[in-house]
Coordinates of all heavy atoms in Angstrom, one line a residue:
Chain S
R9 N 134.4 60.4 59.1 CA 133.9 61.8 59.0 C 132.7 62.0 59.8 O 132.4 63.0 60.4 CB 133.6 62.0 57.5 CG 132.8 63.3 57.3 CD 133.5 64.5 57.6 NE 132.6 65.6 57.7 CZ 132.1 66.2 58.8 NH1 132.5 65.7 60.0 NH2 131.3 67.2 58.8
F10 N 131.9 60.9 59.9 CA 130.6 61.2 60.5 C 130.4 60.9 62.0 O 129.4 61.1 62.6 CB 129.5 60.3 59.7 CG 129.3 60.9 58.4 CD1 129.9 60.4 57.3 CD2 128.6 62.1 58.2 CE1 129.8 60.9 56.1 CE2 128.5 62.7 57.0 CZ 129.0 62.1 55.9
V11 N 131.5 60.4 62.6 CA 131.4 60.2 64.0 C 131.7 61.6 64.6 O 132.8 61.9 65.0 CB 132.4 59.2 64.5 CG1 132.2 59.0 66.1 CG2 132.1 57.9 63.8
R12 N 130.7 62.5 64.6 CA 131.0 63.8 64.9 C 130.7 64.2 66.3 O 131.5 64.8 67.0 CB 130.1 64.6 63.9 CG 130.2 66.1 64.2 CD 129.1 66.8 63.5 NE 128.9 68.1 64.1 CZ 129.7 69.1 63.8 NH1 130.7 68.9 63.0 NH2 129.5 70.3 64.3
A13 N 129.5 63.8 66.7 CA 129.2 64.3 68.1 C 129.7 63.4 69.1 O 129.2 63.2 70.1 CB 127.7 64.3 68.2
S14 N 130.8 62.8 68.8 CA 131.6 62.1 69.7 C 131.6 60.6 69.6 O 131.1 60.0 68.6 CB 131.1 62.3 71.1 OG 130.1 61.5 71.5
H15 N 132.1 60.0 70.5 CA 131.6 58.7 70.9 C 132.1 57.5 70.1 O 131.2 56.8 69.6 CB 130.2 58.7 71.0 CG 129.5 60.0 71.2 ND1 129.9 60.8 72.3 CD2 128.6 60.7 70.6 CE1 129.2 61.9 72.2 NE2 128.4 61.9 71.2
R16 N 133.3 57.2 70.0 CA 133.7 56.0 69.5 C 134.2 55.1 70.6 O 134.9 55.6 71.5 CB 134.8 56.1 68.5 CG 134.2 56.5 67.2 CD 135.0 55.8 66.2 NE 134.6 56.0 64.9 CZ 135.3 55.7 63.8 NH1 136.5 55.2 64.0 NH2 134.8 55.8 62.6
P17 N 133.8 53.8 70.6 CA 134.2 53.0 71.8 C 135.7 52.7 71.7 O 136.1 51.6 71.3 CB 133.3 51.7 71.6 CG 133.1 51.7 70.1 CD 133.1 53.1 69.6
R18 N 136.4 53.7 72.1 CA 137.9 53.5 72.0 C 138.5 53.0 73.3 O 139.6 53.3 73.6 CB 138.5 54.9 71.7 CG 139.4 54.6 70.5 CD 139.6 55.7 69.6 NE 141.0 55.5 69.2 CZ 141.5 56.2 68.3 NH1 140.8 57.0 67.6 NH2 142.7 56.0 68.0
G19 N 137.6 52.3 74.0 CA 138.1 51.9 75.3 C 138.2 53.1 76.2 O 138.8 53.1 77.3
L20 N 137.6 54.2 75.9 CA 137.6 55.3 76.7 C 136.7 55.2 77.9 O 136.2 54.1 78.2 CB 137.1 56.5 75.9 CG 137.8 57.0 74.8 CD1 137.2 58.3 74.4 CD2 139.2 57.2 75.1
A21 N 136.3 56.2 78.5 CA 135.6 56.2 79.6 C 134.1 56.1 79.4 O 133.7 56.0 78.3 CB 135.9 57.4 80.4

Side-chain angles (χ1 to χ4, degrees):
Chain S
R9 166 66 193 104
F10 289 101
V11 184
R12 173 194 164 75
S14 82
H15 333 308
R16 278 216 178 169
R18 229 152 144 168
L20 296 190

